[in-house]
Amino acid sequence: MTDPVTLAALVLVVALILYALFGGADFGGGIWTALAFGPRAREQREALFNAIGPVWETNHVWLIFIVVTLFTAFPSGFAALFIALMPPLVLALIGINFRGAAFAFRHYGRETGREVPLSARVFEIASVLTPFTLGMAVSATASGTITINYGVTATGTSVWLTPFTLMGGLIGLAICAYLAPVYMTVRVAPPLQDDFRDAAIAAGVALGIATAAMIPLALRYAPRFSQRLLESWPMFFVVLAVFAGVGTQLLLLWRRFRGAQLCAGATVVLTVAGFAAALAPDLIVGEMSLEAAAAPRASLVAYLAILPFGALILIPSLVFLYWTFRGEPSSALPPAGSESGSSEKM
């Protein structure tokens, strides 16, 4: 029987993957509201807002689940991570709150005709800031810069602000920007479908360049992590992720959008799985193992025992939500020019 530490770690990885898939697409929608292009830029933004609308808050349930799992199953790791990575995590928290507030002000402001100025701009900036800082925090766990001496966790910018973590932030952004337009291709009709297809292809290229650039940076700034990634079985996940990414690009070119959606999801799943496999058996590479970070066995068993009951409520609820709001977002648009200030471009 698998030990509870490994099971709890697998739960944590699954939650991270689900947040990347759902929350990542949510952030990506915000990124593409800033990057909307061409003569249908306004329609692109409206489609993204309408797609995000019903589920934007729900997608962050996986972030809450990650935090709860960390402080329940790995309390020592939770304490060390939140001390060492406090600045990027606080910035991410600020981004999530401002993003949600800006979205709500925009939505209800448009309904009542009392839109809050700059709400669209705040939404765009927060949609970029949050995945970037979260990507920095996640990559910092593999950088080897987080140290713990005699129970004291190191702090300071050198812990979380390095070329390796900056590229990790950019990869986080690229993942989000990659998922959203791929998902949108199956939710809208031409010609908007072609716009999102072009955006998805461009984002896929950007993600490929960013992940390729991460390899020499990892060799220079995170040698222990890169050694594990390149010289052991986690490399298998990386190779599969590359194939899935190339497959996604080909399916987009061939206009096989549902296949592209599945393939894009597989690319992200394999990328995160490869990262987690290279990080194991540590929670903080070279400094704190999963065993050292874990709660007592009785706490882990209790956490794992209650987990299926929570899943019985959460999973069907989410499936019903996504099923209800599947399909093409509402195409009803307010009259052109009804918005003011910076929101006019929306």
Side-chain angles (χ1 to χ4, degrees):
M1 180 179 177
T2 306
D3 71 278
V5 174
T6 302
L7 286 175
L10 289 174
V11 170
L12 190 61
V13 173
V14 170
L16 187 61
I17 288 173
L18 290 172
Y19 189 52
L21 288 175
F22 294 100
D26 195 297
F27 290 125
I31 293 170
W32 281 106
T33 60
L35 300 178
F37 57 94
R40 291 178 292 276
R42 184 168 181 270
E43 287 83 355
Q44 293 167 23
R45 294 189 181 96
E46 290 299 331
L48 287 164
F49 272 113
N50 289 328
I52 294 171
V55 297
W56 69 273
E57 197 170 19
T58 306
N59 289 326
H60 296 298
V61 71
W62 298 114
L63 179 60
I64 297 169
F65 184 66
I66 289 170
V67 173
V68 171
T69 299
L70 267 177
F71 72 66
T72 304
F74 301 100
S76 298
F78 173 84
L81 289 174
F82 276 75
I83 290 172
L85 304 176
M86 180 63 74
L89 292 175
V90 167
L91 286 173
L93 185 61
I94 290 172
I96 290 173
N97 281 279
F98 272 75
R99 185 174 183 273
F103 184 90
F105 279 122
R106 177 193 179 275
H107 177 76
Y108 292 107
R110 299 189 84 192
E111 284 189 347
T112 61
R114 300 171 60 187
E115 189 166 354
V116 177
L118 299 179
S119 59
R121 188 67 67 195
V122 171
F123 180 79
E124 294 168 356
I125 293 172
S127 295
V128 172
L129 174 68
T130 308
F132 180 74
T133 49
L134 286 176
M136 289 182 69
V138 171
S139 59
T141 63
S143 66
T145 54
I146 301 176
T147 57
I148 304 170
N149 293 315
Y150 300 103
V152 178
T153 303
T155 58
T157 55
S158 61
V159 172
W160 54 271
L161 188 60
T162 68
F164 179 77
T165 58
L166 287 172
M167 185 55 72
L170 289 177
I171 290 176
L173 267 181
I175 287 175
C176 298
Y178 173 62
L179 286 175
V182 176
Y183 289 178
M184 289 301 292
T185 57
V186 299
R187 302 197 63 183
V188 297
L192 270 186
Q193 190 177 59
D194 294 326
D195 292 344
F196 286 118
R197 168 179 172 265
D198 294 342
I201 291 173
V205 172
L207 179 59
I209 292 173
T211 50
M214 190 60 150
I215 294 175
L217 287 176
L219 291 170
R220 171 67 176 83
Y221 295 100
R224 187 190 296 263
F225 173 77
S226 61
Q227 183 178 14
R228 290 181 185 178
L229 184 66
L230 299 176
E231 296 182 1
S232 60
W233 64 273
M235 189 64 189
F236 180 65
F237 287 111
V238 177
V239 173
L240 289 180
V242 171
F243 279 115
V246 173
T248 304
Q249 297 295 83
L250 292 174
L251 289 168
L252 288 168
L253 288 171
W254 296 335
R255 298 178 185 281
R256 300 288 190 253
F257 296 122
R258 293 206 175 277
Q261 186 181 28
L262 294 174
C263 215
T267 304
V268 174
V269 170
L270 292 165
T271 300
V272 177
F275 175 87
L279 197 62
D282 294 335
L283 183 65
I284 302 172
V285 72
E287 200 65 22
M288 180 180 284
S289 67
L290 288 166
E291 286 283 347
R297 181 182 177 85
S299 299
L300 291 174
V301 171
Y303 166 77
L304 293 170
I306 203 66
L307 199 60
F309 296 98
L312 281 176
I313 299 173
L314 177 63
I315 301 302
S317 302
L318 291 178
V319 169
F320 180 67
L321 177 71
Y322 291 125
W323 178 259
T324 301
F325 293 104
R326 72 191 185 284
E328 186 170 355
S330 170
S331 58
L333 295 175
S338 63
E339 298 169 81
S340 60
S342 64
S343 302
E344 284 182 353
K345 67 178 186 174
M346 299 174 61

